[in-house]
Amino acid sequence: MKTVIAINGSARKSWNTATLLEYALKGAEAVGAKTELVHLYDLDYKGCTSCFSCKLKDGKSYGKCATKDDLTPVLERIAGADAFILGSPVYIGMATGEMRSFLERLVFPYLVYDREHSTLFPKKIPTAFIHTMGADESSAKAMGFDGPIRLTELVLGRIFGSSETLVATDTLQFDDYAKYVSSGHNPAEKARRHREVFPEDCRMAYDLGMRMAQAGR
Ligand SMILES: Cc1cc2nc3c(=O)[nH]c(=O)nc-3n(C[C@H](O)[C@H](O)[C@H](O)COP(=O)(O)O)c2cc1C
């Protein structure tokens, strides 16, 4: 049985990012995978501290993160998984700080400082990243949000073997727009989008989860 792990980089456990990750895991389960959803905001951890134990010649932590905290068992489970799916809202043009700290700890130990930027990850597994953002597609492009998204896809692909990206734009941010100062948003349009387009994003997440669990069969 395949194991697929999803990592939620949103503080919210039942909103856009978490919902899409849940759909992806449902897709993986539909083809027989065992799944797990980890909420990063439940964990106490830090990003990379530049200790470089993971790069120390003949070091006992070579190729592994030496920092011990709540991320340690999660990183171990990812190393044993058959696929993983990350999810994060875009905060100020990038993934959340928690997701970025997680990525530092996940990716850097496997990255070899050689000319080829080779990887110490011992197998090739499918990975994916689901990004959610309040901006619509054209504003996101105009503001350059696609840059960090493509870079993350490139890095995950190089280290783990392959990576897919799913982007959900123009998400619903509040339960009731009337309660918040947000004159730049059109609440009726946001509600329509959530009703008509978000379900399609969920369907794509479901299909993505299926693909992740079926890869390499
Ligand atoms: C601190 C903060 C910063 C944000 N920055 C951006 C941004 O730069 N671009 C954008 O399109 N949306 C931005 N958003 C909106 C979120 O990306 C969007 O609502 C996302 O879907 C929220 O995910 P969630 O529902 O899983 O929490 C921001 C939201 C917050 C709270």
Side-chain angles (χ1 to χ4, degrees):
M1 184 188 277
K2 296 227 177 172
T3 305
V4 180
I5 301 184
I7 308 284
N8 177 25
S10 169
R12 305 198 288 183
K13 291 185 184 175
S14 58
W15 276 74
N16 299 286
T17 312
T19 302
L20 290 166
L21 289 172
E22 278 166 7
Y23 270 92
L25 293 184
K26 273 187 217 162
E29 285 161 16
V31 291
K34 189 171 136 235
T35 67
E36 178 189 356
L37 176 58
V38 176
H39 297 286
L40 288 181
Y41 280 74
D42 282 347
L43 307 179
D44 188 7
Y45 66 95
K46 290 209 178 338
C48 174
T49 59
S50 289
C51 76
F52 296 118
S53 298
C54 63
K55 311 260 177 276
L56 193 65
K57 286 178 187 169
D58 302 322
K60 69 174 174 15
S61 290
Y62 184 71
K64 282 189 274 191
C65 184
T67 301
K68 300 292 174 227
D69 59 18
D70 286 1
L71 266 196
T72 309
V74 177
L75 296 174
E76 280 167 9
R77 293 205 294 284
I78 286 184
D82 297 293
F84 66 82
I85 305 167
L86 312 182
S88 177
V90 169
Y91 277 9
I92 326 293
M94 293 171 212
T96 59
E98 270 68 7
M99 175 52 77
R100 290 171 55 75
S101 291
F102 166 80
L103 277 172
E104 292 165 9
R105 298 275 303 279
L106 173 70
V107 166
F108 192 66
Y110 295 126
L111 175 75
V112 184
Y113 271 164
D114 59 8
R115 285 184 195 282
E116 299 77 31
H117 301 301
S118 43
T119 178
L120 294 171
F121 193 69
K123 49 190 178 173
K124 287 192 187 306
I125 59 169
T127 74
F129 201 127
I130 299 177
H131 303 263
T132 74
M133 63 173 84
D136 61 32
E137 223 172 308
S138 63
S139 315
K141 208 171 176 63
M143 287 187 278
F145 296 164
D146 50 332
I149 290 175
R150 293 301 149 206
L151 180 62
T152 305
E153 184 182 81
L154 183 85
V155 169
L156 289 174
R158 279 217 182 140
I159 299 293
F160 298 101
S162 74
S163 187
E164 282 196 43
T165 297
L166 177 65
V167 183
T169 57
D170 207 357
T171 56
L172 191 74
Q173 199 163 359
F174 310 121
D175 48 2
D176 180 357
Y177 276 74
K179 287 192 200 157
Y180 301 93
V181 179
S182 68
S183 57
H185 295 127
N186 176 342
E189 178 51 23
K190 282 279 184 190
R192 183 202 65 77
R193 172 111 193 163
H194 190 67
R195 213 172 40 243
E196 294 175 11
V197 180
F198 192 65
E200 177 60 13
D201 294 329
C202 293
R203 195 193 56 74
M204 286 193 285
Y206 184 93
D207 290 349
L208 179 145
M210 276 179 108
R211 276 197 303 284
M212 296 283 114
Q214 281 170 328
R217 267 193 182 165

